[in-house]
Amino acid sequence: MVDPREAQIVALARSQQRNVTRQQLLALGLGRAAIAHRARSGRLHRVFTNVYAVGTPAASPVERAAAAVLACGDGAALSHASALFLWGLQRAWSEPIHVTTARDRRRPGIVVHVSVVLAPADLRTQRGIRATSPARTVLDCARELGGRLPRVIDDARNAGLLRVEQLMGK
C-alpha cells in the first residue's frame, strides 16, 4: 500500500531540485520513525543535516546547491562562486558551496557568509533556488575574479542578467 503523503513529498521535492527538509517532512505528517525508515530503505538520501534528496542521492551541482540553501534555513541564498555557476557566469562548478544568510548557520560542507543586509533587490530565484542577484553575485566575487571581472560583467550584460547601474546600487 502506498502512503498517500508520497505524492506530496514528491511534488515538494520537485519544486526544490528533488530536496526536502526534515521540518517539511514533519509538517506533512511523517514522524521520526517514518523518516528514518525512508532513509534506510533508500527513498531519502541525506545531503546535509536535516536535508534529504528524494529518490536517489543528489547528483548534480544544482541539486546540491538547492540542498545547501535549504540546510541554511529561511532567508538563505546561494551566493559567491556557487551563484556565479547557477547564473551561467562560471562554467565550472566548484566546492564548497557558498550560501549567504542574515544569521550564522554553519553547516559542514557549506561556506556560510553572514550579511546583515540582504535587500530584496539582492535576491532572485534561479532554477527554483533562492540566490543572490547577478549584480550582488558579481560584487561578492569581484576580488576573486580579478582580471576576469570585466569579462564576467560583459557576459552578464549580454545575457540580459545585469545592467551596469545595478553594480552602482541604482
Side-chain angles (χ1 to χ4, degrees):
M1 185 162 156
V2 176
D3 187 330
R5 295 171 291 198
E6 201 64 36
Q8 293 174 298
I9 294 167
V10 169
L12 178 60
R14 270 195 199 120
S15 73
Q16 301 176 144
Q17 294 290 334
R18 292 190 329 98
N19 296 290
V20 294
T21 67
R22 178 179 189 78
Q23 195 62 34
Q24 290 170 331
L25 293 170
L26 293 170
L28 288 173
L30 270 65
R32 282 183 34 218
I35 294 169
H37 173 72
R38 280 176 162 76
R40 280 192 309 276
S41 67
R43 294 182 2 218
L44 294 176
H45 302 269
R46 185 180 177 275
V47 185
F48 295 105
T49 302
N50 296 324
V51 179
Y52 302 91
V54 175
T56 60
S60 76
V62 174
E63 290 169 347
R64 288 191 42 78
V69 172
L70 289 171
C72 291
D74 292 338
L78 195 69
S79 64
H80 294 76
S82 304
L84 274 179
F85 176 83
L86 186 69
W87 288 111
L89 300 173
Q90 178 171 289
R91 287 190 181 108
W93 174 257
S94 62
E95 294 277 342
I97 299 169
H98 290 259
V99 174
T100 296
T101 184
R103 291 184 302 257
D104 191 356
R105 300 245 177 151
R106 292 178 201 195
R107 300 288 186 265
I110 304 170
V111 175
V112 176
H113 303 271
V114 178
S115 175
V116 293
V117 180
L118 266 178
D122 292 335
L123 301 169
R124 300 279 187 284
T125 299
Q126 175 72 342
R127 297 177 72 177
I129 302 171
R130 185 177 166 113
T132 52
S133 68
R136 171 72 186 247
T137 299
V138 168
L139 292 171
D140 286 343
C141 295
R143 176 174 279 150
E144 291 80 18
L145 289 169
R148 290 183 34 229
L149 181 61
R151 175 61 186 241
V152 169
I153 291 171
D154 284 345
D155 289 349
R157 289 180 62 216
N158 290 335
L161 297 172
L162 176 68
R163 293 184 327 273
V164 173
E165 303 83 45
Q166 292 171 308
L167 294 173
M168 295 180 241
K170 297 179 183 179

